[in-house]
């Protein structure tokens, strides 16, 4: 042990345990259940007489706003737990009580040490500083104590700093008249008193955000303890207040960059649950972590009341009755639950009861307040007996003497560094420092400034016992400890914040390089389209330098006059947009550009706009040339189809002349068949040069015209034949259309010539074209006499049959022929 540890132990041994009057009393009723021999001797009562009394029977607390020490008024820095006690003989003296809570025979009790400070108080106000213990006026947390009428009876110096209010102007003021007390505080206390649901002390937390008289915003977290006497009447309320303004600003700063990486969402601290018929149907991982139960145990084995502390089951049952009366209501209350290991947790739960078509369900969240409750219990033990509160505060706290030596640390320091308290006490900050990352001389200069009364805020690097270096945010403040000036250091591990800041910095650097070096022209504008920054790509594209256009309206510089109204309308857009327009350079040249607009939106408000410009002038020129060339080729191709069609028409005309000069019927038939084959091809070329698409034709329309021509050419040979034609929309390329048209010509011609004898009634030819899964399916049928034998054996010497087989092969089609009860040809082929 170092010398400071020895001094500390001597104070405990000599001043407390060996020579002080001590009492043990019940919390709430204040009934004395035990006292030591020094108490019997000091107060003059027998033990039996003391056990019939309450602590309040021994005297009353001194109220500083009305009391003086000698002729000097008591200052705000005087401890708030001085009492005037009386012995059996009527003698009076002033005592300072330090207390500690513990369990005795199954009851919650407190051990109170009565320090006789009468001589110190009689020596004057300055001597009061020698009173033992740590003074809460020097802790970095504000503390307010309220009486049963909700009037202020204690207001520490830190509370004065947080709210810019003086102690004497606040004392005896009711809570409802104080501007810095949130309405929720009064409402929660009123509801607690009205409900009567409490069994013992009640804990609750809340957050406030108010403006000081000077206009500064201050954000605070309130940890509140409501205490009751043995008759269940309000006794005292203690509020421990931590200022959170700087933490809130840090989070907002990170969030506003757009690169906050979901700070709040990724650090889930609340449990969530869904309950139906008093059974859990869903819990989130945080609730399983809090309670120790698995998700399966929640949904299959345990019910709601299995989790509730026996002391709070009545409270929950009453709340369930309220839900049943108001199935759509919301709820919020605090209670105790039991973990799987039997540990008691203090929680706050809130949510809604929802009536569905099938059932009533409860949707809620759970916040663990156990640490806050412990902190308040430590404070309630005694404003002077600080250790419970000291150890329950979630920040690391160090108390150092004027040389920087550690006199006391709380448990969070042990968790932060991995050292035991005994290993740290008596050491200096160099013991905990990551020496390669900190300037110890600068640290001591800051320490000396804090000791002189100038608070210090800075970032510092420590090294854990396992060798890991880590950053922490540090606040140094002056305080008093056992009558001596000390420095109280409050530290918070900021590893995650530093990681996020470094990641943010890296991303900002990457973005800056992308912005600066991008080949695209980029302009950053404010919400009024004024130029904030442009990159080199923008300067090269438009010919302007950053220095000559900064602060000017971008639209006025580069937008042609006839596009100004549209451009200004786009500048007000809250959604990203893309369009192609012409923009003007500094020299007046018009460029074709693709414009990408990206609004920067924070909290629903557009604060800036990124405009990205890609020069596509060369591409537009190239496209125009290609378009012109394509138009020329289309004209040429159309002319070719026209000439082919005309040539085929000449051939058809020559065949027609020859037809009339022949006497042989067989020769005439052969010429007519050839003429129809030529006509079928000529018709395809006619359709192509008349069509916008020179490579494909609408085959359904072509097929109707072709069949009409075929039928018309055979009208003098046969009586009228009914044609039933159906077609899906099918586009065929010329390579498919010509052979398919020739096949139709051959089959329909054969039906007209051979299928219907003169005695046949109602001759019909059906033609059906369908589009199925990328294939064309053609069916041509008649109700004529059919085929005399299978198609494969028919017409070995027939040119028409040979053409059908050859063209089917050219189409790579699948052909089936049915010659019974008329003739049916079915063939299918790929469209491409």
């Amino acid at each position: 042990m170092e010398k400071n540890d020895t001094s500390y132990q001597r104070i405990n041994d000599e001043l407390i345990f060996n020579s002080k009057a001590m009492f043990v009393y019940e919390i709430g009723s204040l009934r004395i259940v035990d006292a030591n021999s020094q108490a019997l001797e000091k107060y003059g009562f027998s033990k039996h007489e003391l056990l019939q009394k309450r602590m309040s029977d021994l005297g009353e607390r001194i109220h500083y706003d009305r009391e003086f020490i000698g002729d000097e008024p008591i200052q705000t820095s005087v401890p708030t737990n001085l009492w005037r006690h009386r012995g059996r003989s009527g003698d009076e003296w002033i005592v300072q009580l330090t207390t500690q809570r513990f369990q005795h025979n199954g009851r919650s009790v407190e051990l109170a040490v009565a320090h006789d400070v009468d001589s110190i108080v009689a020596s004057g106000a300055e001597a009061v500083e020698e009173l033992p213990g740590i003074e809460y006026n020097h802790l970095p947390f504000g503390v307010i104590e309220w009486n049963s009428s909700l009037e202020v009876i204690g207001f520490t110096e830190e509370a004065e700093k947080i709210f810019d209010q003086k102690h004497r102007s606040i004392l005896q003021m009711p809570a409802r008249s104080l501007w810095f007390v949130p309405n929720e505080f009064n409402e929660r206390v009123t509801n607690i008193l009205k409900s009567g649901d409490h069994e013992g002390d009640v804990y609750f937390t809340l957050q406030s955000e108010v403006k000081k008289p000077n206009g500064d915003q201050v954000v605070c977290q309130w940890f509140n303890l409501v205490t009751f006497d043995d008759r269940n009447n309000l006794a005292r309320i203690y509020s421990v207040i931590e200022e959170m303004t700087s933490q809130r600003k840090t989070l907002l700063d990170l969030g506003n960059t757009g690169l906050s990486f979901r700070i709040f969402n990724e650090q889930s601290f609340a449990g969530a649950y869904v309950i139906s018929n008093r059974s859990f149907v869903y819990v989130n991982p945080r609730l399983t972590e809090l309670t120790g139960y698995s998700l399966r145990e929640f949904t299959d084995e345990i019910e709601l009341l299995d989790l509730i502390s026996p002391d709070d089951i009545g409270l929950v049952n009453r709340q369930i009755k309220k839900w049943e009366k108001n199935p759509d209501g919301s709820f919020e209350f605090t209670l105790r639950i039991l973990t799987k290991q039997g540990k008691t947790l203090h929680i706050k739960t809130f949510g809604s009861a929802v009536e569905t078509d099938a059932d009533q369900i409860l949707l809620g969240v759970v916040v663990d307040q156990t640490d806050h409750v412990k902190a308040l219990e430590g404070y309630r033990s005694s404003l002077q007996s600080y250790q419970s509160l000291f150890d329950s505060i979630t920040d690391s706290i160090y108390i150092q003497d004027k040389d920087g030596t550690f006199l006391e640390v709380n448990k969070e320091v042990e968790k932060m560094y991995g050292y035991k308290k005994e290993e740290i006490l008596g050491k200096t900050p160099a013991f905990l420092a990551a020496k390669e990352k900190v300037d110890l001389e600068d640290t001591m200069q800051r320490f000396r400034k804090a000791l002189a009364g100038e608070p210090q805020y800075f970032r510092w690097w420590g090294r854990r016992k396992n060798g890991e270096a880590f950053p922490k945010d540090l606040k140094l403040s002056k305080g008093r400890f056992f009558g001596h000036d000390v420095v109280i250091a409050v530290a918070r591990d900021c590893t995650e914040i530093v990681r996020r800041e470094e990641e943010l910095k890296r991303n900002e650097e990457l973005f800056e390089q992308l912005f600066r070096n991008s080949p695209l022209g980029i302009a950053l504008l404010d919400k009024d389209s004024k130029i904030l920054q442009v990159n080199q790509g923008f300067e090269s594209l438009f010919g302007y330098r950053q220095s000559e256009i900064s602060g000017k309206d971008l639209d006025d510089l580069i937008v042609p006059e006839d596009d100004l109204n549209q451009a200004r309308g786009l500048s007000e857009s809250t959604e990203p947009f893309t369009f192609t327009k012409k923009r003007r350079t500094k020299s007046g040249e018009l460029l074709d550009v693709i414009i990408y607009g990206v609004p920067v939106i924070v909290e629903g408000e557009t604060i800036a706009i990124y405009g990205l410009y890609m020069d596509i002038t060369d591409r537009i020129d190239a496209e125009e040339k290609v378009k012109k060339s394509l138009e020329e080729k289309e004209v040429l191709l159309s002319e070719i189809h026209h000439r082919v069609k005309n040539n085929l028409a000449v051939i058809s005309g020559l065949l027609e002349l020859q037809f009339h000069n022949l006497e042989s019927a067989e020769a005439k038939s052969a010429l007519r068949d050839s003429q129809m084959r030529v006509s079928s091809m000529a018709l395809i070329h006619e359709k192509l040069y008349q069509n916008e698409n020179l490579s494909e034709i609408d085959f359904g329309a072509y097929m109707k015209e072709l069949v009409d021509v075929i039928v018309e050419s055979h009208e003098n040979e046969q009586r009228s034949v009914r044609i039933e034609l159906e077609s899906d929309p099918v586009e065929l390329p010329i390579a498919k259309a010509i052979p398919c048209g020739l096949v139709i010509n051959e089959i329909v011609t054969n039906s007209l010539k051979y299928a219907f004898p003169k005695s046949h009634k109602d001759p019909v030819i059906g033609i059906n074209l369908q589009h199925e899964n990328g294939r064309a399916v053609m069916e041509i049928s008649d109700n004529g006499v059919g085929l005399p034998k299978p198609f494969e054996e028919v017409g070995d010497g027939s040119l028409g049959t040979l053409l059908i087989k050859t063209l089917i092969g050219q189409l790579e089609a699948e052909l089936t022929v049915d010659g019974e009860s008329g003739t049916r040809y079915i063939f299918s082929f790929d469209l491409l």
Side-chain angles (χ1 to χ4, degrees), residues 36-84:
N36 68 351
S37 57
Q38 284 82 0
L40 302 181
E41 179 180 345
K42 178 70 174 179
Y43 287 80
F45 295 107
S46 68
K47 190 165 188 176
H48 175 75
E49 289 174 318
L50 278 178
L51 297 185
Q52 305 303 310
K53 295 181 178 294
R54 304 173 188 272
M55 286 297 291
S56 55
D57 295 333
L58 299 180
E60 63 280 338
R61 178 178 288 190
I62 297 175
H63 297 287
Y64 303 110
D65 56 322
R66 301 171 186 164
E67 297 281 344
F68 287 78
I69 298 177
D71 295 329
E72 302 174 69
I74 294 180
Q75 302 301 315
T76 59
S77 60
V78 175
T80 57
N81 58 343
L82 295 182
W83 293 71
R84 181 176 286 106

Side-chain angles (χ1 to χ4, degrees), residues 604-621:
E605 181 181 356
T606 301
I607 64 170
I609 301 173
Y610 280 104
L612 288 77
Y613 299 84
M614 178 187 292
D615 184 3
I616 58 170
T617 304
D618 292 341
R619 192 181 82 184
I620 294 294
D621 290 344

Side-chain angles (χ1 to χ4, degrees), residues 18-212:
N18 292 339
S19 60
K20 302 299 178 185
M22 293 190 293
F23 303 87
V24 178
Y25 59 90
E26 289 181 343
I27 297 174
S29 69
L30 302 181
R31 187 174 64 83
I32 298 172
V33 297
D34 202 357
N36 68 351
S37 57
Q38 284 82 0
L40 302 181
E41 179 180 345
K42 178 70 174 179
Y43 287 80
F45 295 107
S46 68
K47 190 165 188 176
H48 175 75
E49 289 174 318
L50 278 178
L51 297 185
Q52 305 303 310
K53 295 181 178 294
R54 304 173 188 272
M55 286 297 291
S56 55
D57 295 333
L58 299 180
E60 63 280 338
R61 178 178 288 190
I62 297 175
H63 297 287
Y64 303 110
D65 56 322
R66 301 171 186 164
E67 297 281 344
F68 287 78
I69 298 177
D71 295 329
E72 302 174 69
I74 294 180
Q75 302 301 315
T76 59
S77 60
V78 175
T80 57
N81 58 343
L82 295 182
W83 293 71
R84 181 176 286 106
H85 274 191
R86 301 178 187 83
R88 183 188 184 102
S89 64
D91 294 340
E92 294 184 354
W93 63 93
I94 296 175
V95 300
Q96 181 184 15
L97 294 181
T98 56
T99 62
Q100 182 63 50
R101 178 179 290 198
F102 64 97
Q103 292 290 315
H104 175 65
N105 293 333
R107 295 178 295 179
S108 291
V109 298
E110 285 186 334
L111 169 66
V113 180
H115 304 272
D116 184 349
V117 296
D118 198 59
S119 60
I120 296 176
V121 173
S123 300
E126 292 184 0
V128 174
E129 295 182 355
E130 300 302 320
L131 293 176
I134 183 169
E135 299 167 7
Y136 269 82
N137 274 326
H138 295 294
L139 278 179
F141 301 95
V143 179
I144 304 176
E145 183 178 0
W146 314 85
N147 63 17
S148 58
S149 300
L150 272 186
E151 297 172 338
V152 178
I153 59 175
F155 195 78
T156 66
E157 287 182 2
E158 188 63 26
E160 290 182 340
K161 294 176 183 177
I162 293 173
F163 299 116
D164 286 345
Q165 295 292 302
K166 293 299 182 182
H167 170 265
R168 292 191 177 278
S169 66
I170 296 300
L171 285 176
Q172 303 304 312
M173 294 290 289
R176 291 189 181 276
S177 68
L178 297 173
W179 59 268
F180 56 82
V181 177
N183 291 333
E184 185 182 354
F185 175 85
N186 297 300
E187 292 169 0
R188 296 285 291 276
V189 173
T190 300
N191 291 337
I192 290 168
L193 299 180
K194 285 183 178 178
S195 68
D197 289 340
H198 54 81
E199 297 179 10
D201 300 340
V202 177
Y203 310 89
F204 68 91
T205 64
L206 55 88
Q207 191 174 90
S208 68
E209 186 169 349
V210 295
K211 283 188 177 180
K212 295 182 181 181

Side-chain angles (χ1 to χ4, degrees), residues 56 70 122 271 280 349 395 547 639 647 690 694 738:
S56 55
F280 294 96
T349 181
D395 289 331
S547 57
E639 182 64 22
N647 290 336
Q690 291 175 348
L694 298 176
I738 288 176

Side-chain angles (χ1 to χ4, degrees), residues 631-646:
E631 289 174 352
E632 293 172 351
K633 288 180 172 60
E634 287 176 347
V635 170
L636 178 61
L637 187 57
S638 176
E639 182 64 22
I640 289 172
H641 283 305
H642 193 183
R643 290 177 183 273
V644 170
K645 180 258 180 186
N646 290 341

